[in-house]
Amino acid sequence: MTSLLAFTVLVALVGLERVAELVVSTRNARWSRERGGVEHGLGHFPFMVVLHTALLVGALAEAWIRQPEVPSALAWSMLGLVVASQALRWWCIATLGPRWNTRVIVVPGMAPVTSGPYRFLRHPNYVAVVVEGVALPLVHAAWITALVFTVLNAALLVVRIRVEDAALATLPSAEPAGA
């Protein structure tokens, strides 16, 4: 299998993973709304959907159009980061359980989660997004896509994290670890 074909399969697999996320997110958003969940930050969400879709399309388009030489050290190291970012993402999803979704929906009265990766970072899922946004395109040396996504995603995350922090500030304090 050529590296370009292998990269196409990888991006397709990440795309399928995104579909699985959307299924989980839809179910969890319904769970939150049934418990009085309030959605925040509707304005930036369509841009986020477009940007994340463009990452996958752009990485494939750049790889197929440019067909760059890909040093195996770059491909393998970036593939390792892609796998690590997926593991971190699913650790976040598992830790938040039914409270995780792709939107900012908070259920009044529920304290923020402080277990799992949230013990170490306030927004670990966004670390996964940033790492994947750089690493996935670079598996096949699609540096233009990696750069454009990273810059646009940084601007989006400034907005997203402000919205999320403001929404979380409406909740009661988190329970101490081990409580």
Side-chain angles (χ1 to χ4, degrees), residues 138-163:
L138 290 180
V139 167
H140 207 280
W143 64 269
I144 297 168
T145 301
L147 179 64
V148 170
F149 177 84
T150 298
V151 169
L152 294 175
N153 189 54
L156 173 62
L157 285 178
V158 167
V159 172
R160 176 75 174 202
I161 290 172
R162 283 184 187 151
V163 166

Side-chain angles (χ1 to χ4, degrees), residues 99 107-115 122 165-177 179:
R99 294 166 68 171
V107 178
M110 295 185 87
V113 172
T114 57
S115 59
R122 187 158 171 86
D165 284 346
L168 290 171
T170 68
L171 299 176
S173 296
E175 294 182 21

Side-chain angles (χ1 to χ4, degrees), residues 31-88:
W31 180 92
S32 292
R33 287 186 180 107
E34 288 169 354
R35 285 155 183 78
V38 178
E39 185 166 358
H40 303 262
L42 289 168
H44 72 272
F45 188 74
F47 180 72
M48 188 173 78
V49 171
V50 169
L51 182 61
H52 284 253
T53 302
L55 170 65
L56 302 178
V57 172
L60 280 179
E62 182 178 354
W64 279 94
I65 292 167
R66 287 186 46 246
Q67 296 193 14
E69 289 294 320
V70 183
S72 62
L74 175 67
W76 287 109
S77 61
M78 293 301 108
L79 179 59
L81 289 175
V82 169
V83 170
S85 69
Q86 294 301 321
L88 177 57

